[in-house]
Amino acid sequence: IAGITQAPTSQILAAGRRMTLRCTQDMRHNAMYWYRQDLGLGLRLIHYSNTAGTTGKGEVPDGYSVSRANTDDFPLTLASAVPSQTSVYFCASSEGVGQPQHFGDGTRLSIL
Amino acid sequence: GDSVTQMEGPVTLSEEAFLTINCTYTATGYPSLFWYVQYPGEGLQLLLKATKADDKGSNKGFEATYRKETTSFHLEKGSVQVSDSAVYFCALSDRRNKLIFGAGTRLAVHP
Protein backbone atom coordinates (compact mmCIF):
# COMPACT_ATOMS: atom_id res chain seq x y z
CA ILE A 1 0.00 0.00 0.00
CA ALA A 2 1.44 3.34 -1.03
CA GLY A 3 2.08 5.84 1.68
CA ILE A 4 4.49 7.12 4.28
CA THR A 5 6.50 4.89 6.57
CA GLN A 6 7.97 6.27 9.78
CA ALA A 7 10.43 4.50 12.05
CA PRO A 8 10.70 3.81 14.87
CA THR A 9 7.11 3.73 16.11
CA SER A 10 8.24 4.80 19.55
CA GLN A 11 11.49 5.41 21.36
CA ILE A 12 12.71 6.28 24.83
CA LEU A 13 15.96 8.20 24.75
CA ALA A 14 18.36 9.58 27.33
CA ALA A 15 18.96 13.33 27.24
CA GLY A 16 22.08 14.28 25.31
CA ARG A 17 21.86 11.35 22.91
CA ARG A 18 21.65 11.70 19.14
CA MET A 19 18.56 10.32 17.40
CA THR A 20 17.40 10.10 13.80
CA LEU A 21 13.77 9.59 12.94
CA ARG A 22 13.24 8.00 9.56
CA CYS A 23 10.60 8.84 6.99
CA THR A 24 10.13 7.22 3.60
CA GLN A 25 7.40 7.80 1.04
CA ASP A 26 6.67 5.82 -2.10
CA MET A 27 4.27 8.24 -3.78
CA ARG A 28 7.02 10.22 -5.56
CA HIS A 29 5.79 13.38 -3.84
CA ASN A 30 7.98 16.43 -4.27
CA ALA A 31 7.34 18.08 -0.90
CA MET A 32 7.92 16.59 2.55
CA TYR A 33 7.43 17.92 6.07
CA TRP A 34 8.19 17.17 9.70
CA TYR A 35 5.77 18.21 12.46
CA ARG A 36 5.65 17.75 16.20
CA GLN A 37 2.32 17.28 17.95
CA ASP A 38 1.92 18.44 21.53
CA LEU A 39 -1.27 18.46 23.58
CA GLY A 40 -3.16 21.72 23.25
CA LEU A 41 -0.82 23.04 20.55
CA GLY A 42 -1.87 21.07 17.51
CA LEU A 43 0.85 20.34 14.97
CA ARG A 44 3.80 22.64 14.50
CA LEU A 45 6.09 22.54 11.48
CA ILE A 46 9.73 21.78 12.26
CA HIS A 47 11.36 21.60 8.82
CA TYR A 48 10.21 21.09 5.27
CA SER A 49 11.55 20.27 1.83
CA ASN A 50 9.83 21.49 -1.32
CA THR A 51 11.88 19.21 -3.54
CA ALA A 52 14.85 16.84 -3.32
CA GLY A 53 18.05 18.70 -2.50
CA THR A 54 16.36 21.62 -0.72
CA THR A 55 15.20 22.14 2.86
CA GLY A 56 13.72 24.98 4.88
CA LYS A 57 12.97 25.92 8.46
CA GLY A 58 9.48 25.80 9.87
CA GLU A 59 7.99 27.26 13.01
CA VAL A 60 10.08 25.32 15.57
CA PRO A 61 13.40 24.27 13.93
CA ASP A 62 15.82 24.71 16.85
CA GLY A 63 17.50 21.49 17.95
CA TYR A 64 16.53 19.63 14.76
CA SER A 65 18.13 19.09 11.37
CA VAL A 66 16.97 17.42 8.16
CA SER A 67 18.35 16.31 4.84
CA ARG A 68 16.71 15.45 1.51
CA ALA A 69 19.22 13.51 -0.55
CA ASN A 70 16.51 11.92 -2.71
CA THR A 71 12.78 12.15 -3.34
CA ASP A 72 11.73 9.31 -1.06
CA ASP A 73 13.60 9.89 2.21
CA PHE A 74 13.46 12.77 4.67
CA PRO A 75 15.19 11.91 7.99
CA LEU A 76 14.91 14.17 11.03
CA THR A 77 17.89 14.31 13.42
CA LEU A 78 18.05 15.46 17.02
CA ALA A 79 21.76 16.14 17.55
CA SER A 80 21.55 16.24 21.36
CA ALA A 81 18.11 15.41 22.69
CA VAL A 82 16.52 17.45 25.48
CA PRO A 83 13.38 16.64 27.52
CA SER A 84 11.40 19.43 25.81
CA GLN A 85 11.68 17.44 22.60
CA THR A 86 9.42 14.77 24.07
CA SER A 87 6.56 14.69 21.58
CA VAL A 88 4.87 12.77 18.81
CA TYR A 89 6.55 13.42 15.47
CA PHE A 90 4.73 13.20 12.16
CA CYS A 91 6.19 13.11 8.70
CA ALA A 92 4.03 14.22 5.77
CA SER A 93 4.30 14.62 2.03
CA SER A 94 2.43 16.34 -0.78
CA GLU A 95 2.60 16.29 -4.55
CA GLY A 96 3.62 19.90 -4.54
CA VAL A 97 3.62 23.03 -2.49
CA GLY A 98 0.08 23.90 -1.38
CA GLN A 99 -1.36 20.46 -2.18
CA PRO A 100 -3.07 18.33 0.51
CA GLN A 101 -0.61 16.54 2.75
CA HIS A 102 -0.47 12.81 3.49
CA PHE A 103 0.72 11.82 6.96
CA GLY A 104 2.60 8.88 8.44
CA ASP A 105 1.45 7.18 11.64
CA GLY A 106 3.93 9.07 13.80
CA THR A 107 6.86 8.38 16.11
CA ARG A 108 6.32 8.78 19.85
CA LEU A 109 9.57 10.03 21.36
CA SER A 110 10.26 10.36 25.08
CA ILE A 111 13.43 12.08 26.27
CA LEU A 112 14.39 11.33 29.87
CA GLY B 1 0.92 36.03 11.79
CA ASP B 2 -1.60 33.59 10.42
CA SER B 3 -3.50 31.50 12.95
CA VAL B 4 -6.38 29.08 13.39
CA THR B 5 -8.69 28.90 16.41
CA GLN B 6 -10.90 25.91 17.11
CA MET B 7 -13.49 25.33 19.80
CA GLU B 8 -12.08 23.48 22.78
CA GLY B 9 -13.09 19.91 23.34
CA PRO B 10 -13.90 17.36 24.15
CA VAL B 11 -17.21 17.33 22.34
CA THR B 12 -19.38 14.46 23.55
CA LEU B 13 -22.43 13.44 21.55
CA SER B 14 -24.87 10.59 21.28
CA GLU B 15 -25.04 8.64 18.04
CA GLU B 16 -27.16 10.35 15.35
CA ALA B 17 -26.76 13.79 16.94
CA PHE B 18 -25.86 16.87 14.91
CA LEU B 19 -22.24 17.97 15.03
CA THR B 20 -20.71 21.42 14.74
CA ILE B 21 -17.05 22.13 15.41
CA ASN B 22 -16.25 25.82 15.10
CA CYS B 23 -13.14 27.08 13.35
CA THR B 24 -12.09 30.66 12.68
CA TYR B 25 -8.91 31.91 11.11
CA THR B 26 -6.70 34.96 10.76
CA ALA B 27 -4.71 35.22 7.55
CA THR B 28 -3.25 37.57 5.01
CA GLY B 29 -4.85 37.11 1.63
CA TYR B 30 -7.08 34.18 0.76
CA PRO B 31 -5.75 30.92 2.17
CA SER B 32 -6.98 27.44 1.35
CA LEU B 33 -8.77 25.84 4.29
CA PHE B 34 -8.72 22.21 5.41
CA TRP B 35 -10.18 19.82 7.95
CA TYR B 36 -8.03 16.86 8.96
CA VAL B 37 -9.09 13.93 11.16
CA GLN B 38 -6.85 11.86 13.43
CA TYR B 39 -8.07 8.46 14.62
CA PRO B 40 -6.42 6.96 17.72
CA GLY B 41 -2.84 5.85 17.10
CA GLU B 42 -2.80 7.13 13.54
CA GLY B 43 -1.58 10.10 11.57
CA LEU B 44 -3.78 12.85 10.21
CA GLN B 45 -5.99 12.24 7.19
CA LEU B 46 -7.42 14.94 4.97
CA LEU B 47 -11.18 15.08 5.51
CA LEU B 48 -12.18 17.98 3.25
CA LYS B 49 -10.92 21.25 1.83
CA ALA B 50 -12.05 24.53 0.27
CA THR B 51 -9.85 26.79 -1.80
CA LYS B 52 -11.90 29.99 -2.19
CA ALA B 53 -14.70 31.95 -0.58
CA ASP B 54 -18.13 30.28 -0.56
CA ASP B 55 -16.67 26.92 -1.56
CA LYS B 56 -18.18 23.98 0.31
CA GLY B 57 -15.97 21.01 1.05
CA SER B 58 -17.67 17.69 1.77
CA ASN B 59 -16.69 14.11 2.48
CA LYS B 60 -18.15 11.15 4.41
CA GLY B 61 -21.20 13.23 5.41
CA PHE B 62 -19.08 16.07 6.79
CA GLU B 63 -19.35 19.57 5.32
CA ALA B 64 -17.66 22.93 5.80
CA THR B 65 -18.20 26.21 3.96
CA TYR B 66 -15.46 28.82 3.45
CA ARG B 67 -16.94 32.03 4.87
CA LYS B 68 -14.73 34.98 4.05
CA GLU B 69 -16.99 37.54 5.73
CA THR B 70 -16.79 35.76 9.09
CA THR B 71 -13.35 34.17 8.49
CA SER B 72 -14.81 30.83 9.46
CA PHE B 73 -14.78 27.21 8.28
CA HIS B 74 -17.06 25.36 10.68
CA LEU B 75 -17.29 21.57 10.37
CA GLU B 76 -20.78 20.01 10.41
CA LYS B 77 -22.32 16.57 10.16
CA GLY B 78 -26.02 15.85 10.35
CA SER B 79 -25.87 12.47 12.11
CA VAL B 80 -22.66 11.31 13.80
CA GLN B 81 -21.66 7.69 14.32
CA VAL B 82 -19.49 6.05 16.96
CA SER B 83 -16.87 5.54 14.25
CA ASP B 84 -16.54 9.35 13.90
CA SER B 85 -14.88 9.52 17.32
CA ALA B 86 -11.51 11.13 16.64
CA VAL B 87 -9.59 14.40 16.90
CA TYR B 88 -10.44 16.98 14.24
CA PHE B 89 -7.98 19.67 13.12
CA CYS B 90 -8.79 22.80 11.19
CA ALA B 91 -5.90 24.18 9.12
CA LEU B 92 -5.04 26.86 6.61
CA SER B 93 -2.37 27.05 3.94
CA ASP B 94 -0.45 30.29 4.46
CA ARG B 95 1.23 32.59 1.93
CA ARG B 96 4.28 30.31 1.90
CA ASN B 97 1.97 27.35 1.30
CA LYS B 98 2.69 25.92 4.74
CA LEU B 99 -0.09 24.44 6.86
CA ILE B 100 -1.07 26.23 10.07
CA PHE B 101 -3.10 23.97 12.37
CA GLY B 102 -5.58 24.66 15.10
CA ALA B 103 -5.10 22.91 18.45
CA GLY B 104 -7.56 20.15 17.57
CA THR B 105 -11.00 19.17 18.92
CA ARG B 106 -11.63 15.73 20.33
CA LEU B 107 -15.01 14.23 19.45
CA ALA B 108 -16.44 11.31 21.43
CA VAL B 109 -19.64 9.70 20.13
CA HIS B 110 -21.52 7.29 22.39
CA PRO B 111 -24.08 4.65 21.32
Side-chain angles (χ1 to χ4, degrees), chain A residues 33 35 37 40-43 45 48 50 90 97-98 100-101 103-105, chain B residues 34 36 38 41-44 46 49 89 93 96-99 101-103:
Chain A
Y33 313 84
Y35 295 89
Q37 183 179 25
L41 296 176
L43 277 77
L45 182 65
Y48 65 93
N50 288 336
F90 287 97
V97 173
Q101 295 182 16
F103 285 78
D105 287 339
Chain B
F34 305 86
Y36 281 83
Q38 184 180 31
E42 299 183 10
L44 277 69
L46 178 66
K49 68 174 182 177
F89 292 91
S93 182
R96 298 174 301 151
N97 288 313
K98 301 297 177 286
L99 283 180
F101 286 90

Side-chain angles (χ1 to χ4, degrees), chain A residues 42 62 66 90 108:
Chain A
D62 294 344
V66 291
F90 287 97
R108 185 175 296 275

Side-chain angles (χ1 to χ4, degrees), chain A residues 13-26:
Chain A
L13 190 67
R17 298 296 296 270
R18 180 183 179 90
M19 176 73 189
T20 295
L21 307 186
R22 299 185 297 280
C23 175
T24 300
Q25 54 106 357
D26 60 4

